[in-house]
Amino acid sequence: MKSPATRVLVIGYVWPEPRSSAAGGHMMQILETFLTQGWDITFSSPAALGEHKADLSALGIAECAIELNNSSFDDFVRELAPDIVLFDRFMMEEQFGWRVEKHCPNALRVLETSDLQSLRDARHQRLKARLKAEPDSDDFADLFAPALAEEFQHMADTDLAKREIAAIYRCDISLMISDVEIRLLTEQFKVPATLLHWCPLMLEPPSEPFTPFEDRAHFLSIGNFRHAPNWDAVLWMKNSLWPLIRQHLPGAQLHIYGSYTPPKATALHNPAQGFHVMNWAEDALQVMSAARICLAPLRFGAGIKGKLVDAMLCGTPNVTTPIGAEAMGDEQPWPGAIATDANALAIAAVALYQDRGRWNRAQNDGRNLIARRYDQAVHGPALIECLQQCRHHLAAHRRDNFTGSMLRHHAHKSTQYMAQWIEAKNRNV
């Protein structure tokens, strides 16, 4: 008799939008990996539907809206009886983890971290402090290359880090998109390596010819405007980087694409300066393939950057910072240029834009990097193997994670009582 399909419940922070963010793209790659196994997937979320939501039902994935602080979820999860529950970011584990454990204690609990939000936030706070103290600074070398021990010092006392890392401990496995963040967690926060699995973006390496140098024009920047690092990069380009590039290339054009474009972004649109805010791109890979250079001057952030992976998939060399390139490359040449100040970024961007030979080498470096580091044929099976092994040895795995058990015992009680109080309060309103 054929064994029943593995049942997977995903609790999403938002409904996946693969064309709006790297997080949405990564979630879809995980779901597609599960589908190759014939697993039965239900995607749920308390969030409102976004403008660019993926059509999950077309893939055979069931969809279910759920509510925060509502016992209706208890009946839902008990009836579904999932074998694996995937929490999309730690806030969903905080909200629903205790309910999952109470009603489905044998379900494997997996956390999709997306990136370490506490790391991103700590870097954001440092950048804001720098800009307040030195508003005219355009050199951030000291912010871009701190040792992991220094990152730990900036994070360790924050509530966000304590919440996020507690959720990692409470789950059986956490999917980490960045191997740098794995090192930070294991070396500085002393999280056991057995609780973490490296799962970067999972892609099919490009095989078709790229659009050549002579058929491309303009610079491009792309990213969800709701993501704070992207908006900060736009401001830095507008105020510092782009004027420097235009000094060398007076006719240069920069096209900035992003979902959920706010009025403050459209207000920056200035064709006379070659600075074009283009709103959302219906096909991000198409506009990326038409551009000659991708600009990603990120001054803070975490995880890995979907825009740079898209650039490599399209054969578009990029110019970025150490923050942008973090955890994305290896010891081989970077497919473009990395710099720490506005002037160096501008010089590198102009050189790549004009030098066909350098540009072609960068394009080829990107193709090779995708094949070496992001091959779905490698990471997809590795993810399935990790989850299967953890399921088969779940009792021992949890016993070895005593800290997680202890945190669940205490935290889930307080979370449960708070949720029940909120639900009772809402009934009486």
Side-chain angles (χ1 to χ4, degrees):
M1 179 181 294
K2 184 179 179 180
S3 59
T6 297
R7 294 182 299 276
V8 180
L9 170 63
V10 180
I11 303 177
Y13 179 64
V14 294
W15 296 93
E17 297 189 9
R19 294 185 295 171
S20 297
S21 70
H26 194 231
M27 175 55 71
M28 293 304 299
Q29 292 159 13
I30 292 170
L31 295 177
E32 289 162 3
T33 300
F34 292 170
L35 287 173
T36 65
Q37 303 299 304
W39 291 359
D40 186 0
I41 306 171
T42 298
F43 195 103
S44 63
S45 177
L49 298 180
E51 294 179 19
H52 313 301
K53 171 186 167 294
D55 186 357
L56 299 179
S57 60
L59 298 174
I61 297 173
E63 301 180 15
C64 184
I66 55 177
E67 294 184 45
L68 300 172
N69 303 307
N70 194 310
S71 57
S72 61
F73 179 85
D74 299 356
D75 297 330
F76 163 69
V77 76
R78 190 188 305 113
E79 182 178 348
L80 187 65
D83 302 296
I84 299 173
V85 177
L86 176 67
F87 302 102
D88 175 25
R89 283 165 269 198
F90 77 91
M91 298 83 78
M92 294 299 94
E93 190 279 336
E94 287 183 328
Q95 287 284 342
F96 296 99
W98 68 272
R99 295 184 186 273
V100 169
E101 181 170 18
K102 180 178 180 179
H103 299 291
C104 304
N106 296 322
L108 183 70
R109 296 184 291 268
V110 183
L111 177 62
E112 156 63 343
T113 60
S114 182
D115 62 13
L116 277 183
Q117 296 186 42
S118 51
L119 174 61
R120 181 186 350 128
D121 184 70
R123 287 173 168 172
H124 194 185
Q125 299 310 315
R126 279 158 44 212
L127 174 63
K128 287 192 289 188
R130 163 62 72 81
L131 294 177
K132 184 177 181 180
E134 302 177 45
D136 297 326
S137 175
D138 272 323
D139 187 344
F140 302 95
D142 58 328
L143 293 185
F144 289 155
L148 293 181
E150 185 180 343
E151 298 281 24
F152 171 78
Q153 291 171 6
H154 289 289
M155 296 169 62
D157 291 332
T158 66
D159 289 345
L160 194 57
K162 292 170 184 174
R163 290 173 56 198
E164 189 167 31
I165 294 170
I168 289 172
Y169 268 106
R170 288 193 297 263
C171 289
D172 299 310
I173 287 291
S174 289
L175 307 184
M176 305 297 302
I177 203 166
S178 162
D179 52 0
V180 171
E181 292 173 9
I182 290 178
R183 287 180 49 219
L184 176 63
L185 290 174
T186 56
E187 295 176 13
Q188 300 300 319
F189 288 93
K190 307 305 179 185
V191 175
T194 53
L195 299 182
L196 309 174
H197 176 75
W198 182 46
C199 183
L201 295 176
M202 298 181 284
L203 308 164
E204 291 188 13
S207 57
E208 298 298 318
F210 293 132
T211 305
F213 177 89
E214 59 272 13
D215 292 339
R216 295 175 181 244
H218 310 314
F219 293 83
L220 175 141
S221 183
I222 193 166
N224 188 331
F225 282 105
R226 289 180 175 174
H227 191 53
N230 292 336
W231 172 239
D232 176 75
V234 169
L235 291 177
W236 197 26
M237 284 188 289
K238 175 69 173 180
N239 296 326
S240 298
L241 178 58
W242 187 243
L244 292 171
I245 291 175
R246 288 272 289 192
Q247 288 179 15
H248 297 280
L249 299 172
Q253 304 289 312
L254 171 60
H255 296 164
I256 299 175
Y257 292 89
S259 55
Y260 302 105
T261 311
K264 65 182 180 181
T266 54
L268 301 180
H269 181 73
N270 190 326
Q273 297 175 354
F275 198 90
H276 301 268
V277 179
M278 310 291 288
N279 298 317
W280 186 64
E282 183 71 28
D283 187 336
L285 297 183
Q286 182 181 52
V287 297
M288 183 71 78
S289 294
R292 189 174 290 179
I293 302 293
C294 171
L295 293 179
L298 295 160
R299 293 193 287 191
F300 72 99
I304 61 177
K305 315 307 179 292
K307 59 178 69 62
L308 297 183
V309 169
D310 285 349
M312 290 183 253
L313 284 172
C314 296
T316 307
N318 70 80
V319 177
T320 189
T321 65
I323 289 290
E326 181 179 84
M328 296 203 62
D330 50 24
E331 68 282 355
Q332 299 301 313
W334 179 254
I338 302 169
T340 61
D341 64 83
N343 189 60
L345 287 164
I347 291 172
V350 171
L352 267 174
Y353 194 87
Q354 295 180 313
D355 188 331
R356 182 197 302 262
R358 183 182 299 186
W359 189 92
N360 283 332
R361 288 192 296 274
Q363 183 182 79
N364 192 56
D365 290 337
R367 184 195 294 273
N368 293 336
L369 179 54
I370 289 287
R372 288 195 309 271
R373 197 165 173 87
Y374 300 100
D375 192 345
Q376 193 278 336
V378 173
H379 294 292
L383 172 60
I384 298 301
E385 175 67 15
C386 171
L387 300 183
Q388 297 284 38
Q389 285 297 314
C390 196
R391 285 186 66 200
H392 292 157
H393 302 94
L394 189 56
H397 183 80
R398 288 179 175 172
R399 186 171 57 247
D400 292 341
N401 179 21
F402 178 77
T403 299
S405 176
M406 178 176 60
L407 286 169
R408 288 197 307 275
H409 174 78
H410 291 287
H412 282 174
K413 290 297 182 184
S414 60
T415 304
Q416 174 183 345
Y417 296 143
M418 176 60 74
Q420 290 172 339
W421 179 83
I422 293 172
E423 183 176 5
K425 182 174 177 291
N426 290 340
R427 281 200 300 266
N428 295 327
V429 171

